[in-house]
Each structure stands twice: as structure tokens, then as C-alpha cells.
Amino acid sequence: MLSLRTPVASFRKAICSTARCSLFPRNRGLLTFAIETSCDDTSVAIVEKNEATNAAKIHFLENVTADSNEYRGVHPIASLESHQENLAKLVDKALRHLPVASENAGGHRLITLADGSQPRCKPDFVSATRGPGMRANLFVGLDTGKALSVAWQIPFVGVHHMQAHLLTPRLVSSLSQDPGASGHTSPPPPVTPEFPFLSILVSGGHSILVKSSTLTDHKIMASTADIAIGESLDKSAREILPTSLLQSAKNTMYGKMLEEFAFPNGSTDYANYRPPLTRGEELIKRETPWGWSLTTPFANTRNLQFSFSSIASAVKKIITQKEKSGQIFSHDERVEMARESMRVCFEHLASRTIIALETLRQQKPDDEVKTLVVSGGVAANRFLMTVLRSFLDVRGFGHIDVVAPPPYLCTDNAAMIGWAGLEMFEAGWRTDLSCRALRKWSLDPQADDGGVLGPSGWQKA
């Protein structure tokens, strides 16, 4: 370990130096207790990995999403209060799902529950989201994670939220080696993204294109100049969806509602989708029977940058003009606008991805990426996956695999935090108890903050 002087650091040093011999019984894998509170989802998970076979199990995963319906979107205070109300309850519930300890396990490896049930295996370390996200919300989970680390006398790993998203398909691949472990069915056989790979991280707060060369070396190739794609889809949905549908919504996942409204029959509704064969075709506007069209951003440039605000603005302008002129906004027209708003967003995303792949091919022809990871909440959209696959096939990148987690792992969840913690822990990284939450935290080591390993608090075993 590194030379450490403070009492807390000395405590960390003692734990980490003995972890391999005293906290890793041979009859089970590496076990982490994980917490995620970066936005409006309070999530706790218990994830285990067999270091020899790379097989993974999710012993427990549960989310509670803040009720922000009255605000028509994520509300910081409502989200914070939801974390405060629900996190301790989820932690208590999760304890009962820790693996039952073996008879020969030493007392320092056990957790005895108050209900008198069989002793449980103590996790080998705690993982919690450190950033980026809403700072007050992050602190709820981060401080809880650090408290568990102290109480259990085990190491702590503060996880980068976006790094966790891009590593999630690697978790899915490991889960497939033990299909019953997660309680969910994973698509067989999933591809394991091997470095280097390209990631599209898309959600309500993020739209970035990342090349990952190693676990901690990530280059941001493109990001949004204005709003995230998820926010654009949510704004479009609030304009397009019938008022009755919005009022009956049980959550604020309007982008998901937009997909269900546009494609009620799933893939059969977009089976005839055909992508632009060339970049020149991207410039051609698709006129609708109602006389309006949506323009793809940056279609006449090769800028490696996203822009989604104009799409939502165009949707609102078209609908406002129709209302002022007294025109009827029929169900069929709503469906068409829902489909077009998604198509334009997704084709813009795909177009910039193709440009990035062409750039990488020119720079390093012998080190070409073989996998495109799509992660984040918007990755659950099946039409997006169809558009991306179609673009790759017609633009000379048909050999690249496109992988995305199943929907329950696309949105924010503690399982992905636990997996990222496992990968960082195996690489020798720990986090000092003095670490603080980070509202902004880049992935790129060339950024001002130094990327994943930039903030203070990291310790290397």
C-alpha cells in the first residue's frame, strides 16, 4: 500500500492489506454492498463476483423512485426527501439477502441479524455513488456507505456514476453465466465488451460518446451542446401525448411513454425502417401528410457534438401553431410526431457515432473498436437500438456489435454501482473515508478534474 499517515488512512491501510487473506473465504466470491442516490432513484444492491470464473450474481436489487408527478419531472427536494425516507429501509431489507455464512466462517466475517436468523456473510467492501449527480442526494448514499464501511470494518469504494453505466454490459455478460442469480432473464448470449470499446451514454441528464481504452482511461468524443437526449424526448412527450395519458401516468418517465405511444406493437411498427444510406441523405427532410417536418441537427456538418434542444423546440412550435389556428391535432398525427421526434433524435445520435468511428479508424486502423455499448435510461428504447444497428450496417461498420443492458439495468440502479465497484476493487482501488460527493466529475483524464482518478481520496493497493 501507499505510505499513509493519518489515523483514518492507517485504518484503511490495515483493512486493505489483510483483505485478501481474511475477507475472501474460498467458498464464495467477492461480495459488495452497493448504494445509488445520484438523482431520484434510491437503490440498494448486493452483488457477488466469482473471481475465477467471472460469473456474477445479484443477491438483492431494489429501487424506490421519488414521486415527482406533480412537478412533471425530477424535483431535487422531492428526490432528496425520498432518499432520506427510503434508504435506511432498503439497507435493512437488503441485509436479509446477504449470503448465509458457512459454518467455518470466522466471527469477523459474519453479520448477525436482530431477527435471530442464520448469520450472514459480511460484504468484502461497500460501494456507493460518489458522483456526478445532485450533490445533496449523493451525500445521503455516500455517507450511509461510509458509515457501513466503518461499522463493518471493511474498505469503501466511491463509484463514478457514468463509469458504472458504461461497464453495465460487462455485468450482464457475467450474470449470463449464472442466469438464475439475478431473478431476471438476460438476453443470450450477451457480448462482453473488451477494451477498447465505444459507449453512448444517454439519459435524462447525459448524452456523451466515450471511447474506453481501459477501466479508468475514457476519452469523451462528443457531448451535447445544450440538453440531453432524454430531456428532449421528455419535453416532446409532454407536448405530444394526450392530456389524459399524462394525467394518468404513474411516474415521470415520459420518454418511455412516448415510445409506447408511438410504437404500441413494438418492433413490428418500425420493421420497415430504413436509415439514410449516405450523409447526403440525412439532409433530406421527410415531409409528413400534415405538411410539417423535423430537421436533424448538424446534418450538414461533421461536428462531433450533439444538440437536441432544437427538436423539442420544433415540436412545441408546430403544436402551438396548430392550436392557434384551430387545427385538430388528431391521434394519427400525434403518433406520427412521436415517431418523427424519436427518429430525428436517434438518427442524429447515430450519425455522430458513425463520424466518431470513422475518425477512430483513421487514427488507429489496427486498434479498431469491436463493440458499441449503449447505456443509460434511453438505452431501454428498442427503436434506438434498431436505428443504431441499421446505421452501422449500411455505413460500413456491420462487424461492430451493439450491446445494451436489459431495461431493468438501463436506468439508475445500485447493481451497476456494485459492479463498477467490483472492477475498481479488483484493480486495487479503494476510497478514503474523507471523500466528498462530486456534483460534476468527468470521465476523461484530459479534463480539468483529471477524470475518474482525478479527485482526491483514491488509494491504490
Side-chain angles (χ1 to χ4, degrees), residues 70-87:
E70 65 177 295
Y71 306 106
R72 293 285 182 94
V74 176
H75 190 277
I77 301 301
S79 299
L80 176 61
E81 292 175 347
S82 180
H83 294 317
Q84 294 169 331
E85 293 169 2
N86 293 296
L87 181 56

Side-chain angles (χ1 to χ4, degrees), residues 302-313:
R302 288 183 61 86
N303 293 344
L304 266 176
Q305 192 174 44
F306 300 124
S307 176
F308 297 102
S309 62
S310 63
I311 301 170
S313 297

Side-chain angles (χ1 to χ4, degrees), residues 157-431:
V157 176
V159 174
H160 192 299
H161 182 86
M162 301 312 294
Q163 180 196 31
H165 270 305
L166 65 85
L167 293 175
T168 303
R170 291 163 66 90
L171 165 62
V172 175
S173 176
S174 293
L175 287 173
S176 71
Q177 299 183 43
D178 191 343
S182 68
H184 299 266
T185 301
S186 298
V191 173
T192 302
E194 301 292 347
F195 298 109
F197 60 85
L198 199 65
S199 296
I200 300 174
L201 304 180
V202 280
S203 66
H206 302 278
S207 296
I208 55 176
L209 186 63
V210 187
K211 182 196 175 185
S212 299
S213 298
T214 68
L215 180 63
T216 57
D217 185 4
H218 310 280
K219 180 180 180 181
I220 306 298
M221 299 199 68
S223 59
T224 180
D226 35 63
I227 64 174
I229 186 173
E231 184 178 347
S232 178
L233 293 173
D234 284 347
K235 286 183 174 181
S236 296
R238 288 195 289 267
E239 298 293 334
I240 297 169
L241 297 177
T243 302
S244 59
L245 192 58
L246 289 170
Q247 291 177 342
S248 64
K250 296 181 180 179
N251 53 53
T252 57
M253 298 174 66
Y254 300 122
K256 181 180 180 181
M257 293 173 61
L258 188 69
E259 179 189 12
E260 294 170 348
F261 180 77
F263 304 110
N265 300 312
S267 59
T268 57
D269 282 338
Y270 49 78
N272 294 324
Y273 170 77
R274 295 293 180 270
L277 297 178
T278 64
R279 294 203 61 254
E281 287 189 22
E282 294 177 26
L283 295 169
I284 301 174
K285 292 185 178 181
R286 297 192 183 185
E287 293 289 343
T288 67
W290 295 273
W292 52 261
S293 63
L294 299 178
T295 303
T296 303
F298 298 159
N300 60 345
T301 76
R302 288 183 61 86
N303 293 344
L304 266 176
Q305 192 174 44
F306 300 124
S307 176
F308 297 102
S309 62
S310 63
I311 301 170
S313 297
V315 167
K316 183 174 183 177
K317 182 178 179 180
I318 293 168
I319 294 175
T320 300
Q321 288 177 342
K322 292 182 72 68
E323 291 175 345
K324 286 182 177 180
S325 62
Q327 298 180 54
I328 297 174
F329 194 24
S330 68
H331 175 81
D332 288 345
E333 188 175 4
R334 288 179 189 272
V335 169
E336 183 67 17
M337 186 169 284
R339 292 180 176 183
E340 279 295 283
S341 62
M342 281 189 285
R343 180 190 67 80
V344 173
C345 278
F346 298 159
E347 287 190 353
H348 175 47
L349 198 67
S351 173
R352 302 303 104 173
T353 302
I354 294 298
I355 293 171
L357 287 169
E358 291 171 346
T359 301
L360 291 173
R361 177 182 280 175
Q362 293 172 359
Q363 292 174 346
K364 293 185 176 180
D366 297 328
D367 189 28
E368 190 172 6
V369 299
K370 297 180 175 62
T371 308
L372 175 63
V373 166
V374 190
S375 196
V378 182
N381 191 302
R382 295 298 93 190
F383 183 45
L384 167 60
M385 302 304 291
T386 297
V387 171
L388 289 172
R389 179 73 271 168
S390 300
F391 261 69
L392 292 171
D393 289 343
V394 302
R395 301 291 183 89
F397 294 97
H399 61 285
I400 292 182
D401 291 309
V402 183
V403 297
Y408 81 102
L409 290 176
C410 282
T411 52
D412 293 349
N413 66 88
M416 72 177 192
I417 300 303
W419 179 261
L422 284 164
E423 292 219 37
M424 290 295 285
F425 191 87
E426 285 184 310
W429 294 105
R430 318 286 188 265
T431 307

Side-chain angles (χ1 to χ4, degrees), residues 26-167:
R26 293 182 180 275
N27 62 348
R28 68 174 177 84
L30 186 61
L31 191 69
T32 188
F33 193 97
I35 297 172
E36 152 65 14
T37 60
S38 65
C39 188
D40 62 337
D41 284 301
T42 309
S43 184
V44 173
I46 298 169
V47 185
E48 183 176 11
K49 179 184 179 185
N50 186 309
E51 294 178 282
T53 65
N54 204 44
K57 293 181 181 179
I58 298 177
H59 293 279
F60 177 85
L61 172 59
E62 193 164 315
N63 287 30
V64 176
T65 303
D67 184 358
S68 299
N69 281 350
E70 65 177 295
Y71 306 106
R72 293 285 182 94
V74 176
H75 190 277
I77 301 301
S79 299
L80 176 61
E81 292 175 347
S82 180
H83 294 317
Q84 294 169 331
E85 293 169 2
N86 293 296
L87 181 56
K89 292 180 180 179
L90 283 182
V91 169
D92 184 58
K93 185 176 182 179
L95 293 178
R96 288 152 181 77
H97 294 266
L98 285 165
V100 175
S102 61
E103 294 181 0
N104 61 351
H108 64 291
R109 299 174 183 167
L110 304 179
I111 291 178
T112 303
L113 303 181
D115 60 10
S117 60
Q118 289 179 281
R120 304 287 170 167
C121 292
K122 182 188 295 184
D124 299 306
F125 68 99
V126 177
S127 307
T129 308
R130 186 181 180 186
M134 298 178 183
R135 200 159 181 262
N137 297 12
L138 286 165
F139 266 120
V140 177
L142 190 71
D143 287 345
T144 301
K146 290 194 289 185
L148 290 172
S149 169
V150 172
W152 290 336
Q153 295 289 281
I154 58 176
F156 176 74
V157 176
V159 174
H160 192 299
H161 182 86
M162 301 312 294
Q163 180 196 31
H165 270 305
L166 65 85
L167 293 175

